[in-house]
Amino acid sequence: MAESVADLARPSREEPGPASAPPAPGPRAYGPWLVASGVIVTLLVLSNRYGYHRDELYFLIAGRNLDWGYVDQGPLVPALARLVDAVAPGNLVALRTPSAFIAGGCVLLVAALAHEFGAGRGAQTFAAFLAGSSGLVLASGHLLSTTTVDMLVWLAAALCTARLLRTGDTRWALGIGLVLGAGMLNKLLPALLGVGLLAGVAIAGPRRLLRDRWVLAGFGVALLLAAPSLVWQATHGFPQLSVAASISGGDSSYSGRLDALALQFVIISPYAVPIWIAGLVALLRRPQWRAYRALAWAWLVVVAVVLLAGGKGYYDAPLLLVLTAAGAIVTAAWATRRASVLRRTLLVAGALLFVAPNGVLLLPTLPADRLPGFVVDVNYDAGETIGWPAFADSLAAVHQALPAEQRQRAVILTANYGEAGAVARYGPARGLPPAYSGHNSMADFGRPPADADVVIAVGWNRPDQLQQWFTTVNLAGRVDQRVEVDNDENGGPIWLCVGLRRPWADVWQAEVRHAG
């Protein structure tokens, strides 16, 4: 774009209304519905390519062990996975259908935020396009994921907040509390959004909201709805804090402060960066948008917490979509000023150059057997949706090669929950024994029988990691996913472990169990 972000965010002379009042909501637009429909159809058409993600395999197992909480999440997504799998067992399209519709709903929420800020029909449709082509919506909408639900929760809460700030009707706080409380049955992250919103109001006002009875009632609603998950966490020692500590240490995808900072500039799209920055500046500077400044400060507070705590860089991304909704209005106004043909040409060219690649990088559009390495480098999750049936075949080859006496009492031990989930999904058809794992809540779903002293172990790169538990550890094979993909499993060693040094009951919780 030919002008600076500050120039983009500068109020237009044509903007009506007093500086003390926010502009009235814009006219209703049908364009966002077309964009949302296109996103849903695209995600559904591509949903059956590649295969299950490791997290989806985990959710299916967690859904068979329903509880009010888990080490790394609440009960919402496992319950949804169980429901869908009961209706359509083993159907990947059905499992991902809720996410596709959530993604479409999020596109509409971003457009609704732009409408709330006073956008015209064109700006609302532009906001919907930016959301629908964003990395956050496409990547999370393709998979059944806690991130998908978080995105919906944060955007719905932001819309309720925008309406409260515009109208002054604090009863909208009940909607905020309802959304945040329900969202905390998915993960505890909506509490971070609540902190950010309260901090934003404390910084930018109106501070009277901090003592308003409806705001306090909304806080109570959130606590009431989140209580089952919070009680579970409390009675189990808040294991999500252990997971958070592991993430902070860089032991997870998309974690680490530098990665989290870099992700801010690509997770919507590089094309959208000047747009959401313009939205941030405008929310902070425009007199007519003074009422909404708390939303801008909420993002600043939340992203600061994420970076300082070493959280994942996508935690705050739904608030980037809020800034994008505001930036779409600024950009639409910029595109209609002088030299409008040139400016619109730049917008279209930028979209083709920077937005179109999102479809290749974030969706399964390329053949799995010819997936370029740079796709997995950019999109780690793509690699974790490829090769699970072949992974199970590799384990089955080792299992079938065992003497009959060992094969009868063998079990499988995996380093992560995705590997255990793959055995649960594909193992029975291959005659594989049950798989166990100490990873996160998999450790609570059962440990090997006391007499299980023949173990096929996968996910450990070195034998010394297993020699603390077994008397004999030998390399028995390697995972061959029959495609050249650089994920966490392909080419990894498969170990045959015989003889227990100590009973499972002594080592399971103390040593095998791990969070991350």
Side-chain angles (χ1 to χ4, degrees), residues 403-422:
E405 186 272 332
Q406 286 189 335
R407 192 163 60 245
Q408 290 298 320
R409 66 179 197 272
V411 297
I412 295 173
L413 181 66
T414 74
N416 69 59
Y417 54 60
E419 296 158 350

Side-chain angles (χ1 to χ4, degrees), residues 216-232:
L216 295 176
F219 180 74
V221 168
L223 280 181
L224 182 63
L225 289 175
S229 188
L230 291 173
V231 169
W232 189 94

